[in-house]
Amino acid sequence: MKNSIKEVDRELNKIFVDLNQRNWVKVSFILSKLDLSFMIVDIPNKSLFNPEAFLKLYLYRRIKVIRRYPDLLEILQKNEQEAFDLGFRKDENNELQLPKKRTYNQFIQENLDKETREILGSIAERILAKAVNCEKPKENGEPCNKCSQCVSITKGRSLDIIEIDAAS
């Protein structure tokens, strides 16, 4: 079982490397435009980070299939613009401020119940489908929202995102 998981991870990494070679939609750009304020209304802000940034970080990690948190931090430190797109900023010493693993995990455990995770999973599926399938992404990484793929994903009609209940 562990070998098959590693194999899937390797294949996904190959796919993302290949996708990064061409002009495809940047996931962080889509997340920067995403308004998740409706999901954080009841979430108390116990840390110096915005709860919406935690949700976007959760989505980013899930979409990019980043299993280890230190790998996530390394990616965001190398590409600060992606961290900024997710809602993180630099401090007064001009250093990028990212949450520690414990802070991130505590936020996820305390605030994301099963229903919220399912909603975020659905959002992640749509973002990934649009990022991969947009036929004419703009130069800045934004999806065109006009091609047949973008329209079908937005309307929830794309076969890439329709959930099929096997019990039915």
Side-chain angles (χ1 to χ4, degrees):
M1 183 64 137
K2 285 187 178 182
N3 288 337
S4 61
I5 291 172
K6 287 180 182 179
E7 186 63 32
V8 169
D9 280 347
R10 269 197 298 274
E11 288 304 312
L12 286 171
N13 285 331
K14 283 183 203 173
I15 290 168
F16 278 107
V17 167
D18 290 342
L19 289 173
N20 284 329
Q21 300 300 319
R22 63 172 217 184
N23 184 24
W24 74 296
V25 177
K26 283 179 55 180
V27 170
S28 63
F29 181 85
I30 295 172
L31 289 172
S32 72
K33 303 296 182 190
L34 187 62
D35 180 13
L36 296 174
S37 59
F38 69 96
M39 295 186 79
I40 62 169
V41 173
D42 297 329
I43 297 176
N45 193 356
K46 297 180 183 178
S47 77
L48 64 102
F49 300 104
N50 179 346
E52 190 170 2
F54 276 113
L55 294 178
K56 290 181 179 184
L57 187 63
Y58 176 83
L59 284 170
Y60 182 85
R61 185 177 182 190
R62 186 168 176 165
I63 292 167
K64 292 278 197 163
V65 194
I66 302 169
R67 296 175 98 37
R68 293 181 13 145
Y69 194 76
D71 295 341
L72 173 68
L73 294 179
E74 183 180 330
I75 289 168
L76 293 176
Q77 287 167 345
K78 283 182 182 175
N79 188 349
E80 290 182 345
Q81 185 57 49
E82 291 197 359
F84 298 151
D85 287 347
L86 298 177
F88 297 101
R89 301 285 167 246
K90 289 187 173 187
D91 65 7
E92 59 277 351
N93 297 328
N94 205 26
E95 292 182 17
L96 186 61
Q97 292 294 304
L98 296 168
K100 303 272 187 243
K101 182 178 179 179
R102 181 177 179 172
T103 306
Y104 172 79
N105 287 339
Q106 183 177 1
F107 175 85
I108 299 301
Q109 289 173 356
E110 289 178 1
N111 299 297
L112 300 188
D113 58 11
K114 184 179 179 189
E115 182 181 346
T116 305
R117 287 176 196 235
E118 288 174 3
I119 292 168
L120 290 172
S122 177
I123 291 169
E125 290 166 8
R126 289 176 187 265
I127 290 171
L128 183 58
K130 219 176 231 195
V132 173
N133 294 319
C134 179
E135 296 167 353
K136 302 171 191 163
K138 298 177 183 176
E139 286 186 31
N140 65 357
E142 186 177 355
C144 70
N145 290 319
K146 295 178 183 175
C147 68
S148 61
Q149 291 291 331
C150 284
V151 171
S152 66
I153 291 167
T154 302
K155 290 183 177 180
R157 296 185 184 146
S158 173
L159 291 177
D160 290 333
I161 58 167
I162 294 175
E163 293 183 28
I164 299 171
D165 186 2
S168 302

